[in-house]
Protein backbone atom coordinates (compact mmCIF):
# COMPACT_ATOMS: atom_id res chain seq x y z
CA UNK A 1 0.00 0.00 0.00
CA UNK A 2 1.27 3.45 -0.75
CA UNK A 3 0.28 7.08 -0.20
CA UNK A 4 -1.69 9.63 -2.22
CA UNK A 5 -0.48 10.32 -5.78
CA UNK A 6 -2.14 12.82 -8.14
CA UNK A 7 -5.55 12.58 -6.50
CA UNK A 8 -5.47 8.76 -6.40
CA UNK A 9 -4.52 6.52 -3.58
CA UNK A 10 -2.78 3.19 -3.93
CA UNK A 11 -4.34 0.44 -1.82
CA UNK A 12 -4.32 -3.30 -1.08
CA UNK A 13 -6.23 -5.83 -3.11
CA UNK A 14 -7.44 -5.70 -6.72
CA UNK A 15 -11.20 -5.27 -6.84
CA UNK A 16 -13.33 -7.78 -8.73
CA UNK A 17 -16.75 -7.53 -10.30
CA UNK A 18 -19.71 -9.58 -9.14
CA UNK A 19 -21.95 -11.32 -11.69
CA UNK A 20 -25.54 -10.11 -12.03
CA UNK A 21 -26.71 -13.13 -10.07
CA UNK A 22 -24.28 -12.55 -7.21
CA UNK A 23 -25.18 -8.84 -7.13
CA UNK A 24 -28.78 -9.88 -6.77
CA UNK A 25 -27.88 -12.28 -3.96
CA UNK A 26 -25.95 -9.56 -2.08
CA UNK A 27 -28.93 -7.22 -2.50
CA UNK A 28 -31.51 -9.73 -1.32
CA UNK A 29 -29.57 -11.78 1.24
CA UNK A 30 -27.25 -9.19 2.84
CA UNK A 31 -28.63 -5.71 2.19
CA UNK A 32 -32.39 -6.35 2.26
CA UNK A 33 -32.53 -8.17 5.65
CA UNK A 34 -30.26 -5.51 7.23
CA UNK A 35 -32.42 -2.69 5.91
CA UNK A 36 -35.68 -4.50 6.71
CA UNK A 37 -34.69 -5.00 10.36
CA UNK A 38 -34.56 -1.22 10.63
CA UNK A 39 -31.18 0.49 10.38
CA UNK A 40 -32.23 3.48 12.49
CA UNK A 41 -35.00 1.96 14.61
CA UNK A 42 -35.26 -1.79 14.91
CA UNK A 43 -38.52 -3.44 13.87
CA UNK A 44 -39.32 -6.13 16.45
CA UNK A 45 -41.37 -8.29 14.07
CA UNK A 46 -38.67 -8.36 11.41
CA UNK A 47 -36.01 -9.05 14.04
CA UNK A 48 -38.04 -12.05 15.27
CA UNK A 49 -38.46 -13.33 11.71
CA UNK A 50 -34.73 -12.91 11.01
CA UNK A 51 -33.93 -14.89 14.12
CA UNK A 52 -36.26 -17.67 13.09
CA UNK A 53 -35.04 -17.75 9.47
CA UNK A 54 -31.34 -17.48 10.34
CA UNK A 55 -31.06 -14.49 7.99
CA UNK A 56 -27.80 -13.16 9.48
CA UNK A 57 -26.11 -16.58 9.36
CA UNK A 58 -27.13 -16.92 5.74
CA UNK A 59 -25.73 -13.45 4.94
CA UNK A 60 -22.39 -14.23 6.62
CA UNK A 61 -22.08 -17.51 4.70
CA UNK A 62 -22.85 -15.80 1.41
CA UNK A 63 -20.14 -13.17 2.02
CA UNK A 64 -17.64 -15.94 2.89
CA UNK A 65 -18.47 -17.82 -0.33
CA UNK A 66 -18.09 -14.64 -2.40
CA UNK A 67 -14.65 -14.02 -0.87
CA UNK A 68 -13.59 -17.57 -1.72
CA UNK A 69 -14.86 -17.21 -5.26
CA UNK A 70 -13.77 -13.67 -6.14
CA UNK A 71 -10.74 -13.15 -3.85
CA UNK A 72 -10.23 -10.68 -0.99
CA UNK A 73 -10.49 -7.39 -2.95
CA UNK A 74 -13.57 -5.18 -2.77
CA UNK A 75 -16.36 -6.79 -4.78
CA UNK A 76 -17.97 -4.31 -7.16
CA UNK A 77 -21.70 -4.85 -7.46
CA UNK A 78 -23.62 -4.22 -10.68
CA UNK A 79 -25.91 -1.49 -9.42
CA UNK A 80 -27.39 0.72 -12.14
CA UNK A 81 -26.05 4.29 -11.96
CA UNK A 82 -24.08 3.68 -8.75
CA UNK A 83 -20.66 2.41 -7.78
CA UNK A 84 -21.03 0.11 -4.78
CA UNK A 85 -18.49 -2.40 -3.44
CA UNK A 86 -18.79 -5.07 -0.76
CA UNK A 87 -15.63 -5.17 1.38
CA UNK A 88 -14.29 -8.70 1.84
CA UNK A 89 -10.92 -8.42 3.60
CA UNK A 90 -10.09 -7.35 7.15
CA UNK A 91 -7.13 -5.27 5.90
CA UNK A 92 -9.39 -3.31 3.59
CA UNK A 93 -11.70 -2.58 6.54
CA UNK A 94 -8.66 -1.16 8.34
CA UNK A 95 -7.72 0.94 5.29
CA UNK A 96 -11.22 2.38 4.89
CA UNK A 97 -11.65 3.28 8.56
CA UNK A 98 -8.13 4.71 8.88
CA UNK A 99 -8.86 6.79 5.75
CA UNK A 100 -12.00 8.41 7.24
CA UNK A 101 -13.21 11.11 6.88
CA UNK A 102 -11.05 11.82 3.83
CA UNK A 103 -10.94 10.22 1.28
CA UNK A 104 -13.51 7.83 2.79
CA UNK A 105 -16.30 9.88 4.28
CA UNK A 106 -18.79 8.35 6.74
CA UNK A 107 -21.36 10.84 5.41
CA UNK A 108 -22.58 8.55 2.61
CA UNK A 109 -25.67 9.48 0.58
CA UNK A 110 -27.76 6.76 2.24
CA UNK A 111 -26.88 7.93 5.76
CA UNK A 112 -27.58 11.56 4.90
CA UNK A 113 -30.95 10.65 3.39
CA UNK A 114 -32.05 8.91 6.53
CA UNK A 115 -30.37 10.66 9.48
CA UNK A 116 -31.07 14.19 8.22
CA UNK A 117 -34.69 13.57 9.19
CA UNK A 118 -33.95 13.97 12.87
CA UNK A 119 -30.33 15.11 13.19
CA UNK A 120 -29.45 17.25 10.15
CA UNK A 121 -26.39 18.71 11.91
CA UNK A 122 -25.06 15.44 13.38
CA UNK A 123 -21.29 14.82 13.08
CA UNK A 124 -21.85 11.51 11.30
CA UNK A 125 -23.47 13.11 8.25
CA UNK A 126 -21.33 16.26 8.18
CA UNK A 127 -18.27 17.00 6.07
CA UNK A 128 -15.26 19.32 6.00
CA UNK A 129 -14.86 21.94 8.68
CA UNK A 130 -18.45 21.45 9.95
CA UNK A 131 -17.63 17.81 10.64
CA UNK A 132 -14.39 18.72 12.44
CA UNK A 133 -16.19 21.19 14.70
CA UNK A 134 -19.09 18.83 15.46
CA UNK A 135 -16.78 15.92 16.15
CA UNK A 136 -14.82 18.10 18.62
CA UNK A 137 -18.02 19.07 20.43
CA UNK A 138 -19.04 15.42 20.72
CA UNK A 139 -15.67 14.44 22.13
CA UNK A 140 -15.64 17.35 24.59
CA UNK A 141 -19.09 16.69 26.08
CA UNK A 142 -18.89 12.88 25.97
CA UNK A 143 -15.31 12.84 27.37
CA UNK A 144 -14.47 10.41 24.58
CA UNK A 145 -10.99 9.24 25.67
CA UNK A 146 -11.84 8.80 29.37
CA UNK A 147 -12.96 5.40 30.71
CA UNK A 148 -14.71 7.30 33.53
CA UNK A 149 -16.60 10.37 32.31
CA UNK A 150 -16.10 13.48 34.48
CA UNK A 151 -19.72 13.07 35.67
CA UNK A 152 -19.25 9.35 36.34
CA UNK A 153 -20.13 9.71 40.04
CA UNK A 154 -23.58 11.21 39.25
CA UNK A 155 -24.19 8.81 36.38
CA UNK A 156 -23.34 5.79 38.53
CA UNK A 157 -25.79 6.92 41.20
CA UNK A 158 -28.49 7.36 38.56
CA UNK A 159 -27.91 3.91 37.08
CA UNK A 160 -27.95 2.29 40.52
CA UNK A 161 -31.19 4.06 41.52
CA UNK A 162 -32.96 2.96 38.36
CA UNK A 163 -31.48 -0.53 38.74
CA UNK A 164 -32.90 -0.71 42.30
CA UNK A 165 -36.38 0.24 41.04
CA UNK A 166 -36.17 -2.21 38.18
CA UNK A 167 -35.21 -5.07 40.50
CA UNK A 168 -37.97 -4.25 42.98
CA UNK A 169 -40.52 -4.56 40.18
CA UNK A 170 -38.84 -7.66 38.72
CA UNK A 171 -38.85 -9.39 42.12
CA UNK A 172 -42.56 -8.66 42.40
CA UNK A 173 -43.23 -9.90 38.83
CA UNK A 174 -40.98 -12.94 39.23
CA UNK A 175 -39.19 -12.08 35.99
CA UNK A 176 -37.07 -9.50 34.26
CA UNK A 177 -38.43 -8.75 30.78
CA UNK A 178 -37.08 -6.66 27.91
CA UNK A 179 -39.94 -4.16 28.20
CA UNK A 180 -39.35 -3.53 31.93
CA UNK A 181 -35.63 -3.19 31.37
CA UNK A 182 -36.12 -0.87 28.40
CA UNK A 183 -38.36 1.50 30.39
CA UNK A 184 -35.76 1.69 33.17
CA UNK A 185 -32.98 2.16 30.64
CA UNK A 186 -34.69 5.15 29.01
CA UNK A 187 -35.12 6.75 32.43
CA UNK A 188 -31.37 6.41 32.90
CA UNK A 189 -30.73 7.87 29.45
CA UNK A 190 -33.03 10.88 29.94
CA UNK A 191 -31.52 11.62 33.36
CA UNK A 192 -27.93 11.29 32.12
CA UNK A 193 -28.45 13.36 28.97
CA UNK A 194 -31.13 15.88 30.00
CA UNK A 195 -31.21 15.78 33.81
CA UNK A 196 -33.36 14.25 36.57
CA UNK A 197 -36.29 16.51 35.67
CA UNK A 198 -36.54 14.66 32.34
CA UNK A 199 -36.73 11.22 33.98
CA UNK A 200 -40.33 10.67 32.90
CA UNK A 201 -40.34 12.95 29.84
CA UNK A 202 -41.38 10.11 27.57
CA UNK A 203 -42.98 12.41 25.00
CA UNK A 204 -39.65 13.70 23.80
CA UNK A 205 -38.09 10.24 23.38
CA UNK A 206 -41.32 8.83 21.90
CA UNK A 207 -41.32 11.61 19.29
CA UNK A 208 -37.73 10.77 18.45
CA UNK A 209 -38.67 7.09 18.13
CA UNK A 210 -41.35 8.00 15.60
CA UNK A 211 -38.93 10.20 13.60
CA UNK A 212 -36.45 7.35 13.65
CA UNK A 213 -39.07 4.95 12.33
CA UNK A 214 -39.58 7.24 9.33
CA UNK A 215 -35.77 7.56 8.94
CA UNK A 216 -35.70 3.77 8.37
CA UNK A 217 -37.16 4.56 4.96
CA UNK A 218 -34.15 6.70 3.89
CA UNK A 219 -34.98 8.04 0.39
CA UNK A 220 -38.60 6.93 0.54
CA UNK A 221 -41.47 8.45 2.46
CA UNK A 222 -41.42 11.90 4.02
CA UNK A 223 -40.58 13.50 7.31
CA UNK A 224 -43.42 14.53 9.60
CA UNK A 225 -42.37 18.16 10.00
CA UNK A 226 -44.88 18.78 12.83
CA UNK A 227 -43.39 15.91 14.85
CA UNK A 228 -39.90 17.15 14.05
CA UNK A 229 -40.68 20.70 15.26
CA UNK A 230 -42.38 19.40 18.39
CA UNK A 231 -39.37 17.18 19.13
CA UNK A 232 -36.92 20.06 18.58
CA UNK A 233 -38.93 22.35 20.88
CA UNK A 234 -39.22 19.70 23.62
CA UNK A 235 -35.54 18.84 23.42
CA UNK A 236 -34.51 22.50 23.53
CA UNK A 237 -36.59 23.03 26.68
CA UNK A 238 -34.81 20.22 28.49
CA UNK A 239 -31.33 21.13 27.25
CA UNK A 240 -31.82 24.80 28.15
CA UNK A 241 -32.44 23.83 31.78
CA UNK A 242 -28.73 22.82 31.83
CA UNK A 243 -29.34 20.71 34.90
CA UNK A 244 -26.18 20.15 36.96
CA UNK A 245 -24.81 16.62 36.73
CA UNK A 246 -26.22 15.97 33.22
CA UNK A 247 -24.74 16.25 29.72
CA UNK A 248 -27.05 19.24 29.21
CA UNK A 249 -24.96 21.21 31.76
CA UNK A 250 -21.83 20.42 29.74
CA UNK A 251 -23.58 21.59 26.59
CA UNK A 252 -24.22 24.93 28.23
CA UNK A 253 -20.49 25.18 29.02
CA UNK A 254 -19.33 24.01 25.59
CA UNK A 255 -19.02 27.46 24.05
CA UNK A 256 -21.40 26.60 21.19
CA UNK A 257 -24.60 25.36 22.72
CA UNK A 258 -26.59 25.46 19.45
CA UNK A 259 -24.16 23.16 17.70
CA UNK A 260 -23.87 20.93 20.78
CA UNK A 261 -27.68 20.69 21.15
CA UNK A 262 -27.84 19.58 17.51
CA UNK A 263 -25.78 16.50 18.46
CA UNK A 264 -28.23 15.35 21.16
CA UNK A 265 -30.70 13.52 18.84
CA UNK A 266 -27.86 11.21 17.78
CA UNK A 267 -26.93 10.54 21.41
CA UNK A 268 -30.50 9.70 22.39
CA UNK A 269 -30.95 7.51 19.32
CA UNK A 270 -27.68 5.66 19.93
CA UNK A 271 -28.48 4.85 23.57
CA UNK A 272 -31.09 2.42 22.23
CA UNK A 273 -28.23 0.23 21.00
CA UNK A 274 -26.64 0.39 24.45
CA UNK A 275 -29.82 -0.96 26.07
CA UNK A 276 -29.90 -3.81 23.55
CA UNK A 277 -26.26 -4.59 24.30
CA UNK A 278 -26.96 -4.61 28.06
CA UNK A 279 -29.76 -7.17 27.85
CA UNK A 280 -27.87 -9.36 25.38
CA UNK A 281 -24.84 -9.35 27.68
CA UNK A 282 -27.07 -10.44 30.54
CA UNK A 283 -28.37 -13.26 28.33
CA UNK A 284 -24.80 -14.40 27.66
CA UNK A 285 -23.87 -14.23 31.34
CA UNK A 286 -27.01 -16.16 32.27
CA UNK A 287 -25.94 -18.98 29.96
CA UNK A 288 -22.13 -18.99 30.39
CA UNK A 289 -21.20 -20.07 33.93
CA UNK A 290 -17.47 -19.24 33.84
CA UNK A 291 -17.81 -15.66 32.52
CA UNK A 292 -20.71 -15.17 34.97
CA UNK A 293 -18.46 -16.28 37.84
CA UNK A 294 -15.71 -13.87 36.78
CA UNK A 295 -18.14 -10.97 36.28
CA UNK A 296 -19.72 -11.55 39.69
CA UNK A 297 -16.29 -11.77 41.34
CA UNK A 298 -15.41 -8.40 39.79
CA UNK A 299 -18.69 -6.85 40.96
CA UNK A 300 -18.23 -8.18 44.50
CA UNK A 301 -14.84 -6.44 44.75
CA UNK A 302 -16.07 -2.88 44.05
CA UNK A 303 -18.17 -0.50 46.15
CA UNK A 304 -21.05 1.70 44.95
CA UNK A 305 -18.94 4.43 43.32
CA UNK A 306 -17.85 4.57 39.67
CA UNK A 307 -15.49 1.72 38.80
CA UNK A 308 -13.73 0.76 35.56
CA UNK A 309 -15.07 -2.88 35.68
CA UNK A 310 -12.71 -4.16 32.95
CA UNK A 311 -14.14 -7.68 32.76
CA UNK A 312 -17.76 -6.53 32.47
CA UNK A 313 -16.73 -3.99 29.82
CA UNK A 314 -15.04 -6.80 27.89
CA UNK A 315 -18.28 -8.80 28.14
CA UNK A 316 -20.21 -5.87 26.64
CA UNK A 317 -17.62 -5.44 23.88
CA UNK A 318 -17.86 -9.10 23.01
CA UNK A 319 -21.65 -8.87 22.94
CA UNK A 320 -21.52 -6.09 20.35
CA UNK A 321 -18.94 -8.11 18.41
CA UNK A 322 -21.32 -11.09 18.35
CA UNK A 323 -24.42 -8.99 17.58
CA UNK A 324 -23.23 -5.65 16.20
CA UNK A 325 -25.84 -2.93 16.56
CA UNK A 326 -24.36 -1.17 13.50
CA UNK A 327 -23.94 -4.15 11.14
CA UNK A 328 -23.46 -2.00 8.04
CA UNK A 329 -20.62 0.53 8.12
CA UNK A 330 -20.70 2.67 4.99
CA UNK A 331 -17.86 4.76 3.62
CA UNK A 332 -18.02 6.82 0.41
CA UNK A 333 -14.85 7.77 -1.50
CA UNK A 334 -14.47 11.49 -2.12
CA UNK A 335 -11.98 10.93 -4.98
CA UNK A 336 -10.75 8.22 -7.33
CA UNK A 337 -8.91 5.52 -5.38
CA UNK A 338 -6.55 2.78 -6.57
CA UNK A 339 -7.03 -0.77 -5.27
CA UNK A 340 -4.07 -2.91 -6.33
CA UNK A 341 -3.68 -2.06 -10.01
CA UNK A 342 -7.23 -0.89 -10.61
CA UNK A 343 -8.98 2.45 -10.04
CA UNK A 344 -12.34 2.80 -8.35
CA UNK A 345 -14.33 5.91 -9.25
CA UNK A 346 -15.08 8.72 -6.79
CA UNK A 347 -18.40 8.39 -4.92
CA UNK A 348 -17.99 4.64 -4.59
CA UNK A 349 -19.94 3.39 -1.57
CA UNK A 350 -17.99 0.73 0.34
CA UNK A 351 -20.21 -1.57 2.37
CA UNK A 352 -18.50 -3.11 5.41
CA UNK A 353 -20.86 -5.82 6.62
CA UNK A 354 -19.32 -6.27 10.07
CA UNK A 355 -20.88 -9.68 10.94
CA UNK A 356 -18.69 -11.19 8.17
CA UNK A 357 -15.56 -10.10 10.05
CA UNK A 358 -16.82 -10.43 13.64
CA UNK A 359 -18.15 -13.97 13.03
CA UNK A 360 -15.69 -15.22 10.44
CA UNK A 361 -15.58 -18.91 11.33
CA UNK A 362 -12.99 -19.48 8.55
CA UNK A 363 -10.36 -17.37 10.35
CA UNK A 364 -11.42 -16.76 13.99
CA UNK A 365 -11.32 -19.63 16.51
CA UNK A 366 -13.68 -17.63 18.75
CA UNK A 367 -16.08 -16.58 15.95
CA UNK A 368 -19.28 -18.01 17.45
CA UNK A 369 -18.24 -18.20 21.11
CA UNK A 370 -18.63 -15.68 23.92
CA UNK A 371 -14.99 -14.58 24.34
CA UNK A 372 -14.59 -11.49 26.54
CA UNK A 373 -10.87 -12.25 26.96
CA UNK A 374 -10.06 -11.20 23.39
CA UNK A 375 -10.76 -7.60 24.50
CA UNK A 376 -8.35 -7.92 27.41
CA UNK A 377 -5.40 -9.86 25.95
CA UNK A 378 -4.73 -7.81 22.80
CA UNK A 379 -6.36 -10.29 20.34
CA UNK A 380 -9.14 -7.88 19.32
CA UNK A 381 -6.75 -4.95 18.99
CA UNK A 382 -4.64 -6.86 16.45
CA UNK A 383 -7.63 -7.46 14.14
CA UNK A 384 -8.52 -4.29 12.17
CA UNK A 385 -12.00 -5.61 11.39
CA UNK A 386 -13.37 -6.18 14.91
CA UNK A 387 -15.09 -2.81 14.97
CA UNK A 388 -18.40 -2.78 16.88
CA UNK A 389 -17.74 0.89 17.71
CA UNK A 390 -16.00 1.56 14.35
CA UNK A 391 -12.42 2.85 14.35
CA UNK A 392 -10.22 5.73 13.22
CA UNK A 393 -11.42 9.33 13.21
CA UNK A 394 -15.06 8.17 12.88
CA UNK A 395 -14.93 5.86 15.89
CA UNK A 396 -17.92 6.15 18.19
CA UNK A 397 -17.23 9.08 20.52
CA UNK A 398 -19.75 7.61 23.01
CA UNK A 399 -17.90 4.28 23.38
CA UNK A 400 -16.51 4.87 26.87
CA UNK A 401 -19.71 6.43 28.15
CA UNK A 402 -21.69 3.43 26.86
CA UNK A 403 -19.28 1.00 28.50
CA UNK A 404 -19.47 2.93 31.78
CA UNK A 405 -23.29 3.02 31.92
CA UNK A 406 -23.91 -0.50 30.64
CA UNK A 407 -21.26 -2.13 32.84
CA UNK A 408 -22.58 -0.22 35.86
CA UNK A 409 -26.16 -1.36 35.16
CA UNK A 410 -25.00 -4.96 34.76
CA UNK A 411 -22.97 -4.68 37.98
CA UNK A 412 -26.09 -3.50 39.82
CA UNK A 413 -28.13 -6.41 38.42
CA UNK A 414 -25.48 -9.02 39.23
CA UNK A 415 -24.73 -7.66 42.69
CA UNK A 416 -27.93 -8.96 44.24
CA UNK A 417 -29.38 -11.58 41.87
CA UNK A 418 -28.53 -14.40 39.54
CA UNK A 419 -30.43 -14.85 36.26
CA UNK A 420 -31.83 -17.69 34.19
CA UNK A 421 -32.76 -17.12 30.56
CA UNK A 422 -36.40 -18.17 30.14
CA UNK A 423 -37.15 -16.85 26.64
CA UNK A 424 -37.55 -19.26 23.72
CA UNK A 425 -34.10 -18.61 22.31
CA UNK A 426 -31.66 -20.49 24.49
CA UNK A 427 -27.95 -19.78 24.43
CA UNK A 428 -25.63 -22.68 25.18
CA UNK A 429 -21.97 -22.23 26.12
CA UNK A 430 -21.19 -25.57 24.42
CA UNK A 431 -22.82 -24.67 21.09
CA UNK A 432 -22.06 -22.02 18.42
CA UNK A 433 -24.00 -18.85 19.26
CA UNK A 434 -26.79 -17.87 16.84
CA UNK A 435 -25.99 -15.07 14.39
CA UNK A 436 -29.20 -13.20 15.38
CA UNK A 437 -30.38 -12.61 18.93
CA UNK A 438 -33.76 -10.92 19.19
CA UNK A 439 -33.45 -8.60 22.21
CA UNK A 440 -37.18 -7.77 22.27
CA UNK A 441 -38.22 -11.23 23.42
CA UNK A 442 -35.54 -11.70 26.10
CA UNK A 443 -36.88 -12.74 29.49
CA UNK A 444 -35.12 -13.86 32.66
CA UNK A 445 -36.04 -15.59 35.85
CA UNK A 446 -34.15 -14.11 38.80
CA UNK A 447 -33.01 -15.45 42.17
CA UNK A 448 -31.63 -13.35 45.03
CA UNK A 449 -27.95 -14.17 45.67
C1 LIG B 1 -23.90 0.00 22.10
C2 LIG B 1 -23.93 1.30 21.84
C3 LIG B 1 -23.26 1.94 20.66
C4 LIG B 1 -22.59 1.35 19.62
C5 LIG B 1 -22.32 -0.14 19.37
C6 LIG B 1 -22.13 2.42 18.76
C7 LIG B 1 -21.42 2.23 17.57
C8 LIG B 1 -21.11 3.24 16.70
C9 LIG B 1 -20.55 3.02 15.40
C10 LIG B 1 -20.25 1.66 14.77
C11 LIG B 1 -20.37 4.25 14.84
C12 LIG B 1 -19.83 4.54 13.45
C13 LIG B 1 -20.98 4.61 12.48
C14 LIG B 1 -20.52 4.80 11.07
O1 LIG B 1 -19.35 5.02 10.80
O2 LIG B 1 -21.40 4.74 10.19
C15 LIG B 1 -20.82 5.23 15.79
C16 LIG B 1 -20.79 6.59 15.56
C17 LIG B 1 -21.21 7.52 16.49
N1 LIG B 1 -21.68 7.28 17.75
FE1 LIG B 1 -21.96 5.47 18.60
N2 LIG B 1 -22.51 3.62 19.29
C18 LIG B 1 -23.20 3.37 20.45
C19 LIG B 1 -23.75 4.32 21.28
C20 LIG B 1 -23.51 5.67 21.21
C21 LIG B 1 -23.92 6.64 22.19
C22 LIG B 1 -24.70 6.32 23.45
C23 LIG B 1 -23.54 7.85 21.73
C24 LIG B 1 -23.68 9.20 22.37
C25 LIG B 1 -23.91 9.40 23.64
C26 LIG B 1 -22.90 7.66 20.44
C27 LIG B 1 -22.42 8.66 19.63
C28 LIG B 1 -21.95 8.47 18.35
C29 LIG B 1 -21.66 9.56 17.43
C30 LIG B 1 -21.84 11.04 17.67
C31 LIG B 1 -21.19 8.95 16.25
C32 LIG B 1 -20.73 9.66 14.97
C33 LIG B 1 -19.24 9.85 15.04
C34 LIG B 1 -18.59 10.46 13.85
O3 LIG B 1 -19.09 10.40 12.72
O4 LIG B 1 -17.49 11.02 14.03
N3 LIG B 1 -22.90 6.32 20.17
N4 LIG B 1 -21.26 4.59 16.92
Amino acid sequence: MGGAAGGSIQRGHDPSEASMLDTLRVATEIMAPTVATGVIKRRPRVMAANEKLGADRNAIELAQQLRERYGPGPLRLRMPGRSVALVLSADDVGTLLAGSPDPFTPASDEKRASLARFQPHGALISQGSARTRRREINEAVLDTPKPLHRLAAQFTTTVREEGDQLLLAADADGELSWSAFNRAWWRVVRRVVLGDAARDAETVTDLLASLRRSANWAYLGRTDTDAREEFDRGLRRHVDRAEQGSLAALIADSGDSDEATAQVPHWLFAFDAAGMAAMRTLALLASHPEPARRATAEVDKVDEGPAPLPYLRACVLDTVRLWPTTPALLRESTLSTMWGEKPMPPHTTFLIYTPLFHRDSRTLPYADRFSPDIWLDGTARRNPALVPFSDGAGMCPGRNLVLLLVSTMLARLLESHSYQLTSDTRLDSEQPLPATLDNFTLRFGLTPR
Side-chain angles (χ1 to χ4, degrees), residues 106 111 123-124 131 135 138 142 266-267 270-271 273-274 277 320 325-326 329 331 388-390 393-398 401-402:
K111 264 187 257 179
L124 186 58
R131 174 181 165 80
R135 174 79 200 185
N138 271 282
L142 301 174
H266 187 119
W267 303 348
F271 269 119
V320 281
T325 51
T326 314
L329 287 177
R331 290 294 180 268
F389 285 94
S390 187
M395 191 183 85
C396 176
L401 181 58
V402 167

Side-chain angles (χ1 to χ4, degrees), residues 40 107-118 125 214-220 223:
I40 307 298
S108 66
D109 272 358
E110 297 78 5
K111 264 187 257 179
R112 283 206 302 270
S114 100
L115 293 175
R117 291 180 188 226
F118 64 91
I125 53 167
S214 83
N216 274 343
W217 293 97
Y219 302 103
L220 307 172
T223 309

Side-chain angles (χ1 to χ4, degrees), residues 147-221:
L148 296 181
H149 190 278
R150 77 196 97 146
L151 298 177
Q154 285 94 327
F155 293 168
T156 306
T157 306
T158 299
V159 171
R160 292 186 63 83
E161 284 172 6
E162 297 300 340
D164 289 346
Q165 295 292 316
L166 173 64
L167 285 172
L168 270 178
D171 273 333
D173 293 349
E175 71 163 17
L176 176 62
S177 66
W178 163 260
S179 56
F181 174 84
N182 197 37
R183 274 194 304 277
W185 183 248
W186 276 103
R187 290 187 183 125
V188 169
V189 173
R190 286 187 294 263
R191 290 176 69 184
V192 163
V193 179
L194 305 172
D196 290 351
R199 177 183 189 262
D200 299 311
E202 287 174 7
T203 315
V204 77
T205 37
D206 286 354
L207 276 167
L208 179 62
S210 120
L211 292 168
R212 287 171 55 201
R213 271 191 285 275
S214 83
N216 274 343
W217 293 97
Y219 302 103
L220 307 172

